[in-house]
Amino acid sequence: MNVPNYLKKTVKVKLDVDEDDKDKLLGTFRQFNRSCNKVVEAGWNKSGDKNYNKMELHEETYRDIKDELDLTANLVCSARNRAAEAIKKVVQGWSNGKKASKPQFDKYSSILYDKRSATIKDRYCTLSTVDGRIEAEYVIGEYQKKHLDDKNYEFRSCTLNYERDKDEFYLHITIRKPVLYRNEGNVLGVDLGMKNIAVTSTGKFLGEDMRWQKNHFFRVKKGLQGKGTQSAMRTLKDMAGRENRYTENKLHNISRELVEEAEKHNCKTIAFEDLKEIRDKDEKFNSRLERQLHSWGFEKLQKFTEYKAKEKGVEVVRVKSEYTSQTCSKCGHTEKSNRNGSQFKCKECGYEVNADYNAAKNIGTRALPSDKSSDGLSHGQLALKSGTLNPTAA
Ligand SMILES: [Zn+2]
């Protein structure tokens, strides 16, 4: 199935701006944000209901702003949109019980540019200012070059930021390209668990050391909390940051390895279990705390994997997780006592194997199409340690 979908990225580039152009840009910042504030005034002064209707705000403010300031029509509209959205955000926040007050734009809040107000090239851009258009080259590294040179990406919009402390301008360029999902290929099943964070149907065990490291963090934190001193509190704060970075980094690595494994086995699909379901089930977790900790991590891992897989044209699906740990991946027999901790032994056929690996195969099998489609394409087999297996034989 070809699902039209886009891969979106934001590339941050520093601009090489000379002194003259710098003044023009700073003037543009001041006027842009001034007009944002003017639109907010118009939308906010209405007694009772706040107005964030873009058309109405346009009617009300466009002429005045255009007459008073030197902004181009496009930037006036962009400022109006930005202000309207800021008001909308506050009003929506209120209905969700959030406290928020009238939006206010700082002199140097960022400017939104679109295709008409900015031209984005591979190595430079041109931007509308209050005094004509300026051209600025990028100061970039390999990462930015790689994306800007990829002709499949198209420019969508960008935000110009002025970093006052450094006195530098940065452009955050949003680009996108269509994802071409693979038509043919196999399915990689992935089981998420406590001991090994991820186990694949191809027999790869990932993230075994994470539990140990997490426990280590937990013990140290507990010790520090007991102390209650100021320096202990500071260390605790540092530790929280370190733990977050450790976890993110680890999950990124695991997701990268999952996608590599899928590519290696010529897969078009990576199948996970649906987290909404396992959250309600205790069989995987020893305690509520573990469940909370890990469902958070699992969600991130699935998202990271989905994003990285997209880049390779591999889709991520989620299947029902019910009985995946109690069912024999060889004969299909389901019985609770088939599983004993980390071991799986089928009461029916005697198949004996690591329990997470058995579950990974079941998850993968569930993502296989139930019948052969009529389009003549191969819709995949389950990727296993040694080659593939037909769903009927699995
Ligand atoms: Zn069996």
Side-chain angles (χ1 to χ4, degrees), residues 328-333 344 346-351:
C328 174
S329 61
K330 202 161 193 180
C331 75
H333 175 69
F344 183 93
C346 179
K347 290 280 187 285
E348 185 72 26
C349 73
Y351 179 56

Side-chain angles (χ1 to χ4, degrees), residues 128-385:
S128 284
T129 75
V130 284
D131 186 10
R133 218 142 158 127
I134 65 139
E135 190 177 303
E137 277 183 30
Y138 307 147
V139 184
I140 50 174
E142 286 313 311
Y143 173 84
Q144 288 101 326
K145 278 183 193 161
K146 195 181 98 189
H147 289 100
L148 294 167
D149 288 345
D150 187 336
K151 295 291 172 240
N152 295 315
Y153 278 111
E154 55 165 341
F155 164 58
R156 301 296 295 166
S157 64
C158 59
T159 314
L160 181 65
N161 285 3
Y162 175 53
E163 296 190 7
R164 251 163 137 172
D165 49 337
K166 290 188 242 167
D167 189 25
E168 281 166 356
F169 296 93
Y170 289 88
L171 204 56
H172 296 250
I173 308 169
T174 308
I175 52 177
R176 72 169 196 189
K177 71 175 176 186
V179 181
L180 296 174
Y181 285 109
R182 299 174 185 203
N183 277 321
E184 293 189 78
N186 302 312
V187 175
L188 183 74
V190 180
D191 179 67
L192 302 177
M194 295 298 304
K195 190 155 176 282
N196 304 284
I197 300 300
V199 176
T200 69
S201 59
T202 52
K204 217 170 168 104
F205 290 74
L206 300 166
E208 281 167 278
D209 52 336
M210 208 164 156
R211 187 194 173 105
W212 180 88
Q213 187 64 37
K214 280 273 188 195
N215 281 338
H216 166 74
F217 278 124
F218 184 74
R219 274 195 307 273
V220 178
K221 277 193 291 193
K222 223 173 163 186
L224 286 167
Q225 273 158 356
K227 278 187 183 166
T229 63
Q230 241 181 18
S231 85
M233 296 319 271
R234 253 199 316 277
T235 317
L236 258 177
K237 222 177 143 193
D238 289 348
M239 288 249 339
R242 218 180 317 151
E243 186 174 2
N244 276 343
R245 284 191 296 278
Y246 166 81
T247 309
E248 291 256 322
N249 192 24
K250 199 77 200 172
L251 295 176
H252 268 300
N253 286 337
I254 296 172
S255 63
R256 195 169 300 126
E257 284 188 82
L258 286 176
V259 176
E260 273 169 22
E261 191 70 2
E263 285 200 286
K264 199 172 117 192
H265 291 269
N266 189 29
C267 293
K268 76 176 189 75
T269 306
I270 295 174
F272 283 115
E273 50 209 307
D274 194 334
L275 291 176
K276 279 191 243 73
E277 288 187 46
I278 62 167
R279 214 170 283 142
D280 308 326
K281 290 209 190 67
D282 281 1
E283 57 177 78
K284 252 193 180 171
F285 305 104
N286 295 323
S287 70
R288 180 178 292 257
L289 182 74
E290 276 190 347
R291 195 160 65 234
Q292 281 168 350
L293 271 176
H294 279 264
S295 60
W296 170 83
F298 291 166
E299 224 166 273
K300 274 212 152 162
L301 180 62
Q302 291 193 350
K303 275 202 187 120
F304 289 171
T305 308
E306 195 161 19
Y307 189 81
K308 293 187 179 78
K310 234 183 201 185
E311 285 189 299
K312 307 287 180 190
V314 175
E315 60 168 354
V316 165
V317 299
R318 291 162 177 85
V319 301
K320 281 194 182 310
S321 65
E322 216 174 12
Y323 304 122
T324 45
S325 59
Q326 303 172 13
T327 302
C328 174
S329 61
K330 202 161 193 180
C331 75
H333 175 69
T334 302
E335 192 177 329
K336 199 169 182 192
S337 58
N338 275 350
R339 178 175 193 163
N340 185 5
S342 60
Q343 259 322 99
F344 183 93
K345 191 179 178 190
C346 179
K347 290 280 187 285
E348 185 72 26
C349 73
Y351 179 56
E352 210 174 337
V353 71
N354 174 285
D356 296 337
Y357 174 53
N358 178 68
K361 288 200 283 184
N362 287 330
I363 290 164
T365 303
R366 288 191 185 181
L368 292 172
S370 47
D371 52 4
K372 290 281 161 205
S373 311
S374 52
D375 56 11
L377 297 169
S378 153
H379 282 286
Q381 300 174 328
L382 182 63
L384 293 170
K385 216 186 276 186

Side-chain angles (χ1 to χ4, degrees), residues 37 40 44 83 86-88 90 101-105:
N37 286 327
V40 169
W44 203 265
I87 297 173
K88 189 175 166 187
V90 169
S101 45
K102 184 169 144 186
Q104 234 188 332
F105 292 87

